[in-house]
Amino acid sequence: MKSKFTDKDAKLYISKFAKKGVPKDLALRIYTTQLLGNDPTVVLHGGGNTSVKSSIKTLLGKVEKVIYVKGSGKDMGDIEEDGFPALEMENLLKMRTLKNLDDFQMVNYQRKYMLDTSFPNASVETLLHAFLPHKFVDHSHSNAILSLIDQPNPEKFCKKVFGDEMGIVPYIMPGFELAKKASEVFEQNTSVKGLILLNHGIFTFADDAKESYLRMIRYITKAERELSKNSKTLVVKKYSEKKISISSAANIIRQQISNQVNDDFERKIVHFYKPQFFEEIFSHKNYKIFTQQGPVTPDHVIRIKSKPLVIDLTKEKITNIEKTIVKAVQKYKEDYKKYFNRNSKYNPSATMLDPYPRLILIKGMGIFSTGPSFKDAKIAMDVGLNSLSVILEASKYGTFKSIPEKEIFRMEYWPLELAKVKISSQKLKGQVAVITGGLGGIGYATAKKFQKEIWFSWLPNSNGVSILVNNMRGINASYDQFGNFLSYLDVGEEYELNFHKFQIIEFIPITGLQIKLDPGITAIYFGFGLLMLSIFLSYRSFSQIWLNKEKNTIFVGGKTNRAQLSFEKEILYIIL
């Protein structure tokens, strides 16, 4: 992994945020946080967290020592100063003397010690950051680190790769207990440059933003090199499932995972993608075991549940395909109910969540992700791809091992973790709209309206290729006339689809069509001509004068449509 830190960019961030009144320490914290957050192999969708210890002058004029910590659920990739609530360090450190502190008390006290309660809640790992003495602390769920430590004997591998440079913290659910344990491990050897949290992730720290970031890069790179050097190479067995199309499989899945609510259905969206490493999964002799072990890090369970549904249709007759998929989905549902009942004693107040799978792997086809909206399905796919790649690499390196089932359940039904998942308020969530003429005036306006409620529109063309557009700036997926995924398309890049090369230059919100012939256009133009003529004539002055003689008297009269006073003077001038 290569560092993206540059002194030039760091100075630009300091200058940029100084205009907003943001201190230098926090500006640098924002910079390195974004560097980590924009690498999907390091953190994903609200995962990871960072902090910086500083001081601030309160309204009463007192200089207060504070810690700026990433807000819970905030995305590190685009976080700014409003994503870092400041908390009173003195009071946070006093909490370490407590023997016990439940989750709700912890969150309540953290909020109490915030300097500005309009900010989001601080991360659930705030106390861990506070209890470490370093100015800058970075935490991520690096793929390489997780592949190395999600093993039956992780301490052995950590010692081999990191030596005494990293402290090793056993798995403990995030919160007060983990914060105390991590600080105790650090105090056993204060010369360590970071901490490895087994089945969780990595922490690095320093008194300098750049050094803390570089340490994260350094130890992730060490893990990457170890995996590259000592992982087994798989003989990839290629297989393509031809007995059912992707679109048909997606429709069956969507039908099965939709919950009936009274007289209606709570529908969901199904998203499809086939990563490059997909065939490697099914080429591994133990894929049926390692795919069912559990999540690579506890944070993932709220997005993709503890395990995917894996379906193998290779030996099924074409007439049994649909029945097999239906049976597999329903079995997953029943197994999930049993899992909930087995573990509900660890959280008696928990109400069972949606029992259907978030990830479905079909051999020879690809991965289907599901969610109440396209955004949720896309997040599930991103997290799922990340998770599956870690599991595969861990299995090639050694033997993948997740946390115990009861710990998975505790994490999945942990209120502080569930709070990160925002429930969609879309009225039409789970629905799909097909909009023809989607780039025409009316069609485009309709598509924009539906995008706010449905998240995507289906824009077909006449060449047997369809493009699924998330938004006018996003990544676009192309499918053939049979619904089979072809590739993702980015603006400016050249692609070959159906043996034709083409390039998406830009999105233009118009159809580009012009009317070439309209039989009624002549009559319309004639009417416009008459209208213009009448307007022109209405501005011309038109006058009439009459003379009428009766006996010895001559009567003079006149009429005009404009300038009546001038017309009256002209008549008098003629007569007199």
Side-chain angles (χ1 to χ4, degrees):
M1 184 176 180
K2 295 183 179 180
S3 168
K4 296 179 181 178
F5 189 103
T6 67
D7 292 329
K8 179 181 178 181
D9 286 342
K11 290 177 181 178
L12 288 175
Y13 267 71
I14 293 170
S15 174
K16 170 186 173 182
F17 285 98
K19 296 175 183 178
K20 300 181 180 182
V22 176
K24 177 182 177 181
D25 289 345
L26 183 54
L28 288 170
R29 176 71 290 171
I30 293 169
Y31 172 50
T32 54
T33 300
Q34 289 185 5
L35 290 180
L36 293 172
N38 281 299
D39 188 335
T41 67
V42 178
V43 291
L44 277 175
H45 297 291
N49 42 68
T50 60
S51 69
V52 58
K53 299 175 181 72
S54 188
S55 59
I56 190 171
K57 193 172 185 179
T58 67
L59 291 174
L60 299 176
K62 179 183 177 182
V63 177
E64 185 88 49
K65 290 184 177 180
V66 299
I67 181 171
Y68 294 98
V69 185
K70 194 206 82 164
S72 182
K74 281 288 184 177
D75 193 332
M76 288 172 58
D78 58 8
I79 195 169
E80 294 197 351
E81 74 278 6
D82 58 355
F84 282 95
L87 294 86
E88 302 168 358
M89 270 296 294
E90 183 179 353
N91 285 315
L92 293 180
L93 291 175
K94 288 179 180 178
M95 294 175 69
R96 190 179 172 185
T97 61
L98 299 173
K99 290 185 178 180
N100 298 294
L101 187 68
D102 68 40
D103 297 331
F104 294 103
Q105 288 175 321
M106 180 184 72
V107 172
N108 183 51
Y109 277 105
Q110 286 183 184
R111 190 144 190 89
K112 179 181 179 181
Y113 298 145
M114 286 173 60
L115 271 65
D116 186 344
T117 55
S118 66
F119 277 66
N121 281 339
S123 167
V124 295
E125 289 167 327
T126 293
L127 293 180
L128 198 162
H129 285 258
F131 293 169
L132 293 170
H134 306 82
K135 186 177 183 68
F136 290 88
V137 179
D138 296 46
H139 169 46
S140 78
H141 305 139
S142 158
N143 286 11
I145 295 293
L146 290 171
S147 294
L148 186 72
I149 66 176
D150 286 359
Q151 302 285 339
N153 49 349
E155 295 87 354
K156 171 186 173 183
F157 296 118
C158 287
K159 286 294 182 181
K160 175 185 176 183
V161 177
F162 307 121
D164 294 327
E165 295 180 33
M166 301 292 284
I168 302 173
V169 183
Y171 176 78
I172 299 174
M173 190 171 169
F176 179 68
E177 188 180 348
L178 175 61
K180 290 191 69 172
K181 185 63 178 178
S183 59
E184 289 170 3
V185 170
F186 168 74
E187 288 166 357
Q188 290 172 7
N189 181 6
T190 57
S191 65
V192 297
K193 306 300 189 295
L195 297 172
I196 296 293
L197 278 58
L198 299 182
N199 295 104
H200 187 145
I202 177 175
F203 274 79
T204 56
F205 32 70
D207 290 325
D208 175 78
K210 181 178 181 179
E211 182 57 29
S212 184
Y213 168 78
L214 290 178
R215 287 178 178 178
M216 179 67 72
I217 303 302
R218 187 180 307 139
Y219 293 111
I220 290 175
T221 301
K222 282 178 176 286
E224 289 175 339
R225 288 173 179 168
E226 172 63 17
L227 294 170
S228 176
K229 182 179 178 181
N230 294 301
S231 293
K232 298 174 183 177
T233 301
L234 290 176
V235 177
V236 178
K237 302 171 184 177
K238 294 188 176 182
Y239 171 74
S240 180
E241 183 56 68
K242 300 291 187 181
K243 295 190 288 291
I244 186 171
S245 68
I246 293 169
S247 56
S248 295
N251 285 335
I252 295 170
I253 291 169
R254 186 166 184 254
Q255 181 187 57
Q256 293 302 307
I257 64 175
S258 296
N259 294 318
Q260 186 167 0
V261 180
N262 299 322
D263 296 330
D264 200 0
F265 284 89
E266 189 179 76
R267 295 173 175 83
K268 296 183 179 69
I269 297 298
V270 177
H271 180 47
F272 176 80
Y273 181 63
K274 183 179 180 180
Q276 291 183 345
F277 64 81
F278 184 74
E279 290 175 328
E280 283 191 76
I281 294 175
F282 288 92
S283 298
H284 197 293
K285 64 179 181 179
N286 295 323
Y287 81 87
K288 292 182 180 179
I289 298 174
F290 67 65
T291 56
Q292 303 302 298
Q293 285 288 303
V296 298
T297 184
D299 286 39
H300 287 185
V301 73
I302 61 169
R303 299 292 187 182
I304 58 173
K305 295 196 175 294
S306 63
K307 60 188 73 172
L309 169 60
V310 180
I311 301 176
D312 184 352
L313 301 173
T314 54
K315 297 180 181 179
E316 296 295 331
K317 295 180 180 179
I318 193 169
T319 54
N320 291 332
I321 294 295
E322 181 174 351
K323 183 178 178 181
T324 302
I325 295 174
V326 170
K327 185 178 179 180
V329 173
Q330 293 305 314
K331 185 179 185 302
Y332 186 100
K333 174 184 175 182
E334 295 305 315
D335 288 344
Y336 185 87
K337 289 180 178 179
K338 293 175 183 177
Y339 153 80
F340 179 84
N341 292 331
R342 276 197 310 272
N343 296 282
S344 57
K345 59 187 176 184
Y346 302 114
N347 187 349
S349 63
T351 300
M352 190 177 74
L353 300 171
D354 177 10
Y356 292 105
R358 288 284 182 271
L359 291 177
I360 300 170
L361 284 63
I362 298 183
K363 183 176 179 180
M365 190 171 287
I367 303 171
F368 297 85
S369 64
T370 70
S373 69
F374 178 72
K375 179 181 179 181
D376 294 309
K378 182 65 168 61
I379 290 175
M381 179 63 76
D382 292 343
V383 175
L385 291 172
N386 185 284
S387 178
L388 289 168
S389 67
V390 169
I391 292 172
L392 179 62
E393 289 304 315
S395 300
K396 288 161 65 176
Y397 179 72
T399 303
F400 172 70
K401 184 181 179 182
S402 185
I403 56 178
E405 185 180 84
K406 72 173 184 178
E407 295 298 334
I408 296 173
F409 180 87
R410 289 179 63 200
M411 197 68 184
E412 183 176 3
Y413 285 88
W414 190 29
L416 301 189
E417 195 71 6
L418 289 172
K420 295 180 182 180
V421 181
K422 301 292 187 289
I423 299 175
S424 174
S425 60
Q426 292 174 305
K427 296 177 182 178
L428 299 176
K429 66 179 181 180
Q431 306 282 358
V432 176
V434 178
I435 302 171
T436 59
L439 290 181
I442 297 176
Y444 177 69
T446 303
K448 292 291 287 183
K449 177 66 176 175
F450 271 94
Q451 270 192 321
K452 295 178 181 178
E453 297 295 337
I454 298 182
W455 287 94
F456 64 87
S457 305
W458 187 248
L459 308 175
N461 69 12
S462 60
N463 296 323
V465 176
S466 294
I467 300 175
L468 187 64
V469 182
N470 179 27
N471 55 55
M472 298 305 283
R473 295 169 296 176
I475 297 175
N476 315 289
S478 63
Y479 298 82
D480 64 18
Q481 62 267 44
F482 303 110
N484 296 314
F485 174 79
L486 296 174
S487 70
Y488 279 116
L489 311 176
D490 290 323
V491 175
E493 294 187 14
E494 187 172 301
Y495 298 88
E496 181 174 336
L497 293 178
N498 292 355
F499 307 104
H500 295 283
K501 289 186 178 180
F502 72 99
Q503 182 183 41
I504 296 179
I505 304 299
E506 64 178 355
F507 285 107
I508 304 174
I510 57 174
T511 62
L513 300 178
Q514 293 180 333
I515 297 174
K516 293 297 183 181
L517 178 64
D518 186 344
I521 200 69
T522 303
I524 293 173
Y525 283 156
F526 180 73
F528 273 119
L530 291 177
L531 178 62
M532 294 176 69
L533 179 62
S534 64
I535 292 172
F536 175 75
L537 292 175
S538 69
Y539 281 94
R540 289 180 58 86
S541 179
F542 180 76
S543 303
Q544 289 180 315
I545 298 176
W546 297 278
L547 296 176
N548 184 26
K549 180 180 179 183
E550 292 184 2
K551 297 183 179 180
N552 296 324
T553 304
I554 297 176
F555 295 91
V556 180
K559 179 181 179 182
T560 185
N561 66 330
R562 299 174 63 82
Q564 292 182 359
L565 290 176
S566 298
F567 181 66
E568 183 179 351
K569 289 180 181 180
E570 289 178 3
I571 290 180
L572 291 175
Y573 177 78
I574 293 171
I575 296 174
L576 298 177

